[in-house]
């Protein structure tokens, strides 16, 4: 089956710190700061959610983490002589409230991005990466001269309490993907975003609203998958693999039952080793799976994200 696509992912790069902390250690850090992480909850994170380790950046600043992810792609761009027209920066934590320019050194070093315009997104938490993919599609649609966009994600927990959100354990990471209008690899066929504003205030929302969100978000995930499949005249059987964000294992297990498909269709292999990498999850998981020859040319796959505040994203890709 052949699809028309506005753009594709032409290059990947991911940075994950080598230093890691296990669940009991993270729980102890959080308790030392006066916040709760009960021992019975530690057991739940280990056994039901299947978290084990999360990467912790001990030395590099967020700017340096971004550089680690971007440099491999920018080096290849310098060799090819092709310029990058735009940079979209995706974050979850509020890291850019001050005057720091996180891309200043890279722009000074690399000719290919010296004239690139810049935009930062973060309002949809860990689903923001799908809003960025949608923004990139719109840019390619209305700007005929735009050929390449660099999408960058990066997050570093600046306080131990940020390593835990309801049902997830978070690790530091950064990533970069090069989006191309004329590329042929990892074609992005469609992107759908959905917003349920009932928990618009994130972790500061009313506890009753958070409880309701945690009890019902599976239905929203199921609906956004079924919507993108129906829109593109596909069924779940046409999808080779679903790359969900590493929110936890039990979420994807329950969703597989709701979709009447095998849990093996969901790529959950990296949850124990890196935990939830904020907006980097789906990029990390896709890149991680490429070394295992899971995808063959022509295979279709989905990428799926969920963010606190009731944000959801789903994209359909062809390898």
């Amino acid at each position: 089956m052949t699809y028309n696509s506005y753009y594709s992912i032409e290059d990947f790069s991911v940075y994950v710190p080598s230093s890691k902390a296990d669940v009991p250690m993270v729980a102890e850090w959080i308790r030392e700061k006066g916040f709760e992480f009960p021992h019975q909850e530690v057991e739940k994170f280990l056994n039901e959610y299947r978290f084990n380790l999360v990467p912790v950046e001990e030395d590099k600043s967020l700017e340096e983490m971004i550089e680690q992810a971007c440099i491999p792609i920018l080096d290849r761009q310098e060799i090819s002589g092709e310029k990058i027209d735009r940079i979209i920066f995706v974050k979850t934590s509020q890291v850019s409230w001050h005057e720091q320019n996180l891309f200043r050194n890279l722009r000074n070093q690399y000719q290919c991005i010296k004239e690139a315009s810049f935009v930062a997104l973060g309002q949809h938490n860990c689903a923001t990466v799908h809003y960025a993919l949608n923004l990139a599609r719109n840019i390619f649609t209305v700007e005929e001269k735009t050929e390449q966009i660099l999408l960058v994600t990066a997050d570093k927990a600046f306080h131990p309490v940020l390593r835990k959100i309801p049902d997830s354990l978070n690790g530091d990471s950064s990533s970069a993907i090069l989006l191309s209008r004329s590329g042929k690899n990892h074609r992005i066929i469609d992107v759908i975003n959905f917003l349920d504003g009932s928990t618009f205030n994130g972790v500061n929302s009313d506890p009753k609203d958070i409880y309701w969100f945690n009890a019902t978000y599976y239905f929203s995930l199921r609906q956004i998958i079924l919507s993108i499949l129906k829109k593109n005249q596909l069924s779940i059987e046409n999808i080779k693999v679903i790359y969900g964000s590493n929110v936890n294992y039990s979420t994807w297990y329950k969703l597989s039952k709701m979709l009447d498909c095998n849990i093996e269709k969901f790529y959950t292999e990296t949850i124990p080793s890196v935990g939830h990498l904020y907006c980097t999850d789906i990029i990390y998981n896709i890149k991680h799976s490429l070394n295992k020859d899971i995808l063959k040319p022509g295979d279709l796959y989905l990428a799926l994200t969920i963010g606190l505040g009731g944000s959801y994203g789903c994209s359909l890709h062809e390898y």
Side-chain angles (χ1 to χ4, degrees):
M1 189 176 295
T2 302
Y3 299 88
N4 293 322
S5 177
Y6 288 126
Y7 61 138
S8 64
I9 304 173
E10 285 301 291
D11 205 351
F12 291 83
S13 179
V14 176
Y15 171 71
V16 175
S18 58
S19 177
K20 294 183 179 181
D22 60 20
V23 178
M25 185 180 297
V26 173
E28 184 62 28
W29 291 344
I30 291 174
R31 288 194 290 265
E32 286 176 353
K33 296 298 182 180
F35 296 88
E36 293 185 356
F37 201 146
H39 292 286
Q40 61 269 28
E41 197 172 6
V42 170
E43 293 302 314
K44 187 175 185 180
F45 271 68
L46 286 168
N47 299 321
E48 181 180 341
Y49 297 158
R50 301 198 181 180
F51 290 112
N52 183 22
L53 301 170
V54 292
V56 177
E57 181 52 64
E58 298 177 330
D59 301 314
K60 293 180 174 58
S61 65
L62 188 72
E63 182 177 7
E64 291 170 329
M65 290 172 60
I66 290 171
E67 291 171 358
Q68 288 293 311
C70 291
I71 283 175
I73 292 179
L74 296 179
D75 281 344
R76 290 188 280 270
Q77 285 296 107
E78 293 286 272
I79 294 173
S80 70
E82 297 178 349
K83 72 170 186 175
I84 293 173
D85 303 290
R86 284 181 175 266
I87 298 173
I88 301 177
F89 175 48
V90 175
K91 58 186 174 61
T92 300
S93 55
Q94 300 302 310
V95 296
S96 298
W97 56 269
H98 45 67
E99 295 298 324
Q100 182 182 7
N101 184 339
L102 297 172
F103 290 82
R104 177 185 54 206
N105 290 337
L106 289 174
R107 293 183 74 131
N108 289 337
Q109 184 178 352
Y110 288 93
Q111 190 68 30
C112 63
I113 59 170
K114 281 192 180 297
E115 298 180 2
S117 57
F118 175 87
V119 62
L121 302 175
Q123 295 87 346
H124 296 276
N125 292 314
C126 299
T128 304
V129 64
H130 269 108
Y131 284 81
L133 289 175
N134 221 342
L135 174 61
R137 177 176 63 179
N138 293 338
I139 291 172
F140 281 129
T141 302
V142 301
E143 295 183 358
E144 294 182 358
K145 293 184 179 180
T146 296
E147 292 293 333
Q148 293 187 323
I149 298 173
L150 185 68
L151 194 159
V152 182
T153 76
D155 275 287
K156 179 182 179 181
F158 54 83
H159 190 282
V161 75
L162 296 177
R163 298 209 175 276
K164 177 181 178 291
I165 56 177
D167 305 333
S168 286
L169 205 68
N170 303 327
D172 303 331
S173 63
S174 59
S175 68
I177 55 175
L178 182 66
L179 302 173
S180 172
R181 176 194 298 276
S182 57
K184 298 179 180 179
N185 299 319
H186 296 278
R187 295 201 297 166
I188 302 175
I189 299 165
D190 202 359
V191 182
I192 291 181
N193 300 113
F194 169 69
L195 177 64
D196 171 11
S198 60
T199 54
F200 69 93
N201 208 20
V203 294
N204 297 315
S205 299
D206 187 291
K208 293 181 179 179
D209 292 332
I210 293 178
Y211 176 82
W212 178 252
F213 172 76
N214 288 335
T216 60
Y217 72 85
Y218 307 99
F219 299 98
S220 296
L221 288 170
R222 176 180 180 271
Q223 188 56 46
I224 199 170
I225 288 177
L226 294 179
S227 295
I228 202 167
L229 292 177
K230 181 179 180 180
K231 181 180 176 184
N232 291 278
Q233 300 180 327
L234 298 167
S235 68
I236 195 69
E237 288 75 21
N238 297 123
I239 303 302
K240 180 64 177 292
V241 61
I242 300 174
Y243 297 97
S245 53
N246 289 357
V247 287
N248 59 58
Y249 177 83
S250 62
T251 289
W252 306 125
Y253 180 79
K254 292 175 183 178
L255 189 58
S256 71
K257 297 300 182 185
M258 296 172 69
L259 292 168
D260 194 25
C261 68
N262 196 302
I263 181 59
E264 299 302 323
K265 190 176 286 284
F266 288 84
Y267 195 78
T268 61
E269 184 173 334
T270 66
I271 292 175
S273 59
V274 297
H276 180 24
L277 300 177
Y278 299 96
C279 282
T280 295
D281 276 334
I282 59 171
I283 298 170
Y284 179 81
N285 284 340
I286 294 170
K287 189 174 188 300
H288 186 272
S289 75
L290 294 179
N291 297 325
K292 300 178 178 296
D293 294 326
I294 291 176
L295 295 173
K296 306 299 182 185
D299 281 345
L300 300 176
Y301 65 88
L302 296 177
L304 188 63
T305 56
I306 177 173
L308 277 177
S311 291
Y312 303 85
C314 187
S315 50
L316 172 65
H317 306 246
E318 181 184 23
Y319 182 57

